[in-house]
Amino acid sequence: LEYGEIGEANAMSRQMKAMSGAFLDDNGDNNDDGDNDFDLFDSSDFGKGSRDGDDDDEMDEDAIADAAFHARQQLIKEELDQRTGRLWTDEWIIPEEEWLANKTWDDIEEWKPQLATRKSLESVKVFEGGVPTLQQLSQLDLPPPLADHPGHGSPKQYANSRKKKIRSRLKMAIQLLIHDDLQKIIKMESWSDKQEAVDALFEVIEERVREKEPVLGKLPDFGAMVENELEQVLRMVQGRMRGAASKVVDASDDAKEDTDNTDGEKVTANKDNTDDVLNVVNEETAVPVFMDVANVKNAPNSAFLAKSNDAGIPNLVYPLNVHHRDGVGRMVEEWELAANKETRRIMMRDATKAIASKIVDAAHCCDGAVSDSEKGAARILVTGKRGVGKTAALAGIVASARVSGHIVVYLPDGDRLRRQGFYIEPCNHRKGLYNLPMIAQEFCEQLLTSHGDDINTMTASEETMKEFLKDDQIKKVLSKANDNKEESDVEVPLTLDKLLNVGSESCSLSSGCYLSVISTLMNQTEKPFTIVADEFNCYYDHGHYFHMDYDEDVKKAIPLNKISIFKPFMDAMGLYPAIAGNDVNTDDAVDSSQAIMKWGSIVVATSESKAVRRTFTKSLTESANALAESETPVSVVDVGRFSNVEVQHILYNFEITGIGRLRFDRGNTTLNPEEVEYLRMVSGGTGQHLMDACMIP
């Protein structure tokens, strides 16, 4: 406002204030306080106009509407309060009575096996012998994994899986809807009557299924899918009827001789037979089976493998352990967090079964007496997303192979081996190769500890030792192995356990001793020999070992296939990815057909949790797929995400073993479908994420 307008406004306000004073009642206010004076500014009457009955009715209707609205809100609130599961309760809220309880650590309830629910105990299946052999593992009925997510690069595979589930669901719905109709059709004697009944069934089946499956009913080709599935169901019923009729004819003579059966029993038997014919959908679904590596009935002959270390990790999967610098996957973490220290379980999955099947089929290692011509070897690359259970699958194969009588070299920590070898030196006996003496010492000790009893009768020939050791080194090895006896009293050839013992004690001789043992095991057919290496893609990443003999400027890292202790394994796999930046090539490499073991297998797995270029890992998988049709094929086994039934059984096992919040849960999670579905959703079917989700409320 301008200055003059402000003045006018102030004058106007003074005039209005004076006028309002004229309307004050005798009491000095303008309220209707019973003095029968007209109050112009009575708040209860001002602006309402007339006070007739219609206005009162409108006010009553508004009040009724408001009351109904608040009643609906209260019903919704009560319904939400009754809901359970995620998003409806906040487990982090600590009630006041708990704050005032003054509980201490000693007051917390101790875990005991009786806290597990009966449902969990009855649902979890543990292999009867603890750990199956490779043959038994390859024959287990296990559920398939969850299909790959379309965002992981395989939308076609995911689409096929979804179509298969839809067909299975339609087939189940059709069987339930036509069960009574089929019973009537079966009882018909005339073929024409049966045909008319079937035609009528085709006319009404689409609407029936649409009512039962309204979501699937919106598919564009729903009608064709229903008719196709109905045709498949009818064909299966027809085939079963023919099979049942042939069984009746074959058993007719036996039925005539059985005079003790009553007519009622025969009617019941016929009814059961009809139900079996009509039940064309297999209602029994496969469930996961766990192996218990801490309670093995058919343990190997080695006394060491039958025990556990100080951390409670069974020696059957030795040297799997949490390294002091780097962890090995997160499978061991589950055992460390478990309250039940008497069991160490690994869930056997479809991928584990596939690995065992390929070893058994290629090596024929579980068929009893096998001729040398039938003995072979398998090469297997295990792939999968991070946290899906590749380390657990390899650990299960190691345990199963050792129970099957295999000599197993297990390298669970490839990332540590490629970076922390302490020091490297040129191999004087084999030009172009390099030794890691400290790592070789470690390998000698591990193989001697785990399989010393299995190799104490095998010997390394002098020709084999000369391939990896100089003459003066061989003399030192023989002297140390025979307690520094005179040269005339030295025993030749040496047994493998003595070679490993010398290698574990002498840093300068460790590489030659270890390679002599590995070469002997690779070329023998007395016992199957299996190599299992985790984090195998780390060997193809940029190296961490440098030496001026390889590069005068010490700028280029030495490829790991030029390091002597890794060379036999990498040559046996024969994978040489063609990608820029990868230094692993075929120079000085031995052909895989000659480098592979005579009897056994080599199983390696990639890692998604280590610092390795994804292009290296992808190229490694492509290289393995390219060798699928070679003379000694490389099989690629992909470990998928956990399916719904696998997630449910993992949660059952967590409750039984006392892991995380399921330790004192008493079934609040495993018996709550909403909670199970929430955990499956947040984990994405990944084992690591599922365990993390079970750690907190």
Side-chain angles (χ1 to χ4, degrees), residues 396-416:
I397 291 297
V398 169
S400 184
R402 282 173 171 165
V403 169
S404 302
H406 287 226
I407 299 173
V408 180
V409 170
Y410 185 22
L411 308 177
D413 45 358
D415 185 57
R416 178 183 68 88

Side-chain angles (χ1 to χ4, degrees), residues 148 271 291:
D148 285 344
K271 184 179 183 302
M291 67 167 65

Side-chain angles (χ1 to χ4, degrees), residues 145-434:
L146 196 65
D148 285 344
H149 192 277
H152 292 167
S154 54
K156 185 176 181 180
Q157 182 180 357
Y158 178 80
N160 293 334
S161 175
R162 292 294 302 171
K163 290 179 181 179
K164 184 177 179 180
K165 289 183 179 180
I166 291 174
R167 290 195 300 267
S168 176
R169 189 165 179 174
L170 288 178
K171 186 179 292 184
M172 176 68 74
I174 291 172
Q175 180 192 351
L176 296 175
L177 292 172
I178 69 173
H179 185 273
D180 295 338
D181 297 311
L182 286 181
Q183 285 186 333
K184 296 177 182 179
I185 294 174
I186 291 175
K187 295 178 181 179
M188 294 179 181
E189 298 181 358
S190 172
W191 182 87
S192 60
D193 293 341
K194 291 183 179 180
Q195 186 63 42
E196 291 179 0
V198 171
D199 293 341
L201 200 57
F202 271 93
E203 293 178 359
V204 300
I205 189 61
E206 181 178 348
E207 292 302 323
R208 290 188 185 179
V209 178
R210 194 185 301 274
E211 291 178 1
K212 186 173 181 61
E213 298 289 348
V215 177
L216 297 182
K218 297 180 181 180
L219 294 174
D221 54 347
F222 178 75
M225 294 174 61
V226 170
E227 290 185 1
N228 182 49
E229 294 303 324
L230 176 59
E231 182 179 355
Q232 296 296 328
V233 170
L234 294 177
R235 289 183 181 277
M236 294 177 68
V237 171
Q238 186 179 21
R240 290 194 175 190
M241 288 180 63
R242 292 174 180 174
S246 62
K247 291 181 180 180
V248 170
V249 172
D250 295 338
S252 60
D253 296 335
D254 297 336
K256 292 179 181 179
E257 295 177 1
D258 189 4
T259 58
D260 296 334
N261 290 342
T262 62
D263 294 340
E265 292 174 345
K266 292 180 181 179
V267 172
T268 304
N270 292 334
K271 184 179 183 302
D272 294 339
N273 187 30
T274 303
D275 292 338
D276 292 340
V277 170
L278 298 179
N279 185 18
V280 295
V281 181
N282 185 15
E283 297 180 357
E284 294 184 2
T285 58
V287 296
V289 182
F290 290 83
M291 67 167 65
D292 190 353
V293 294
N295 299 283
V296 185
K297 293 183 180 179
N298 52 341
N301 296 329
S302 174
F304 172 78
L305 296 179
K307 300 178 181 179
S308 299
N309 61 13
D310 296 337
I313 300 176
N315 293 334
L316 194 61
V317 292
Y318 177 82
L320 182 64
N321 204 344
V322 177
H323 196 265
H324 64 281
R325 292 185 179 179
D326 293 300
V328 183
R330 291 186 58 184
M331 191 194 70
V332 177
E333 182 182 7
E334 176 185 330
W335 293 345
E336 291 179 329
L337 293 173
N340 189 351
K341 303 299 183 182
E342 302 298 325
T343 180
R344 294 289 184 264
R345 297 177 180 177
I346 302 175
M347 188 173 71
M348 294 179 282
R349 305 184 61 199
D350 187 67
T352 317
K353 174 184 176 181
I355 298 172
S357 300
K358 295 182 183 302
I359 295 175
V360 172
D361 294 341
H364 301 284
C365 55
C366 299
D367 298 334
V370 182
S371 61
D372 290 343
S373 60
E374 295 177 334
K375 295 177 180 178
R379 295 189 294 171
I380 303 170
L381 174 66
V382 181
T383 62
K385 297 299 179 182
R386 179 177 181 177
V388 295
K390 298 185 294 295
T391 299
L394 291 192
I397 291 297
V398 169
S400 184
R402 282 173 171 165
V403 169
S404 302
H406 287 226
I407 299 173
V408 180
V409 170
Y410 185 22
L411 308 177
D413 45 358
D415 185 57
R416 178 183 68 88
L417 297 177
R418 63 138 177 177
R419 292 186 294 110
Q420 299 173 3
F422 300 101
Y423 73 94
I424 190 169
E425 62 184 13
C427 180
N428 297 326
H429 189 52
R430 305 168 70 193
K431 189 175 181 180
L433 297 182
Y434 298 83

Side-chain angles (χ1 to χ4, degrees), residues 443-482:
F443 284 1
C444 288
E445 182 180 359
Q446 290 175 356
L447 184 55
L448 178 64
T449 302
S450 57
H451 291 283
D453 296 338
D454 297 321
I455 60 177
N456 56 10
T457 58
M458 299 181 183
T459 58
S461 64
E462 188 173 355
E463 291 76 12
T464 301
M465 295 177 64
K466 287 183 177 180
E467 185 179 352
F468 305 102
L469 294 166
K470 287 186 174 182
D471 292 338
D472 59 334
Q473 290 179 321
I474 294 177
K475 291 181 180 180
K476 292 181 180 179
V477 170
L478 295 175
S479 177
K480 288 180 176 292
N482 292 275

Side-chain angles (χ1 to χ4, degrees), residues 354-359 378-382 394 531 533 573 575 601-605 624 633-637:
I355 298 172
S357 300
K358 295 182 183 302
I359 295 175
R379 295 189 294 171
I380 303 170
L381 174 66
V382 181
L394 291 192
I531 300 171
M573 279 302 298
L575 300 180
S601 61
I602 176 169
V603 183
V604 300
V634 177
S635 302
V636 179
V637 176

Side-chain angles (χ1 to χ4, degrees), residues 13-244:
S13 63
R14 290 193 296 269
Q15 183 178 0
M16 292 181 63
K17 184 175 181 181
M19 292 175 62
S20 63
F23 292 99
L24 295 177
D25 57 14
D26 297 336
N27 295 330
D29 57 19
N30 60 354
N31 293 331
D32 185 11
D33 43 0
D35 52 6
N36 295 324
D37 294 332
F38 175 71
D39 296 331
L40 178 63
F41 298 103
D42 185 2
S43 60
S44 61
D45 298 328
F46 183 74
K48 289 187 178 181
S50 61
R51 302 183 181 182
D52 52 8
D54 294 338
D55 295 336
D56 294 338
D57 293 340
E58 291 179 1
M59 292 180 59
D60 294 341
E61 291 177 0
D62 293 340
I64 294 174
D66 291 341
F69 175 75
H70 290 300
R72 288 195 301 270
Q73 282 189 324
Q74 184 64 26
L75 290 176
I76 294 174
K77 182 178 181 302
E78 293 176 356
E79 181 187 356
L80 295 179
D81 291 341
Q82 292 176 357
R83 293 189 181 185
T84 58
R86 288 289 175 174
L87 306 180
W88 306 112
T89 57
D90 188 358
E91 302 292 344
W92 290 104
I93 296 177
I94 302 178
E96 184 177 356
E97 55 270 15
E98 292 190 10
W99 281 112
L100 300 177
N102 295 326
K103 289 184 178 180
T104 63
W105 176 264
D106 296 333
D107 297 327
I108 298 178
E109 181 182 8
E110 291 290 339
W111 179 88
K112 52 188 176 181
Q114 291 77 11
L115 293 175
T117 59
R118 179 173 59 87
K119 178 66 175 177
S120 298
L121 295 173
E122 293 178 352
S123 300
V124 172
K125 293 178 61 177
V126 180
F127 189 77
E128 185 177 357
V131 176
T133 63
L134 291 173
Q135 181 76 29
Q136 293 171 331
L137 178 56
S138 64
Q139 296 173 351
L140 290 176
D141 185 18
L142 301 173
L146 196 65
D148 285 344
H149 192 277
H152 292 167
S154 54
K156 185 176 181 180
Q157 182 180 357
Y158 178 80
N160 293 334
S161 175
R162 292 294 302 171
K163 290 179 181 179
K164 184 177 179 180
K165 289 183 179 180
I166 291 174
R167 290 195 300 267
S168 176
R169 189 165 179 174
L170 288 178
K171 186 179 292 184
M172 176 68 74
I174 291 172
Q175 180 192 351
L176 296 175
L177 292 172
I178 69 173
H179 185 273
D180 295 338
D181 297 311
L182 286 181
Q183 285 186 333
K184 296 177 182 179
I185 294 174
I186 291 175
K187 295 178 181 179
M188 294 179 181
E189 298 181 358
S190 172
W191 182 87
S192 60
D193 293 341
K194 291 183 179 180
Q195 186 63 42
E196 291 179 0
V198 171
D199 293 341
L201 200 57
F202 271 93
E203 293 178 359
V204 300
I205 189 61
E206 181 178 348
E207 292 302 323
R208 290 188 185 179
V209 178
R210 194 185 301 274
E211 291 178 1
K212 186 173 181 61
E213 298 289 348
V215 177
L216 297 182
K218 297 180 181 180
L219 294 174
D221 54 347
F222 178 75
M225 294 174 61
V226 170
E227 290 185 1
N228 182 49
E229 294 303 324
L230 176 59
E231 182 179 355
Q232 296 296 328
V233 170
L234 294 177
R235 289 183 181 277
M236 294 177 68
V237 171
Q238 186 179 21
R240 290 194 175 190
M241 288 180 63
R242 292 174 180 174

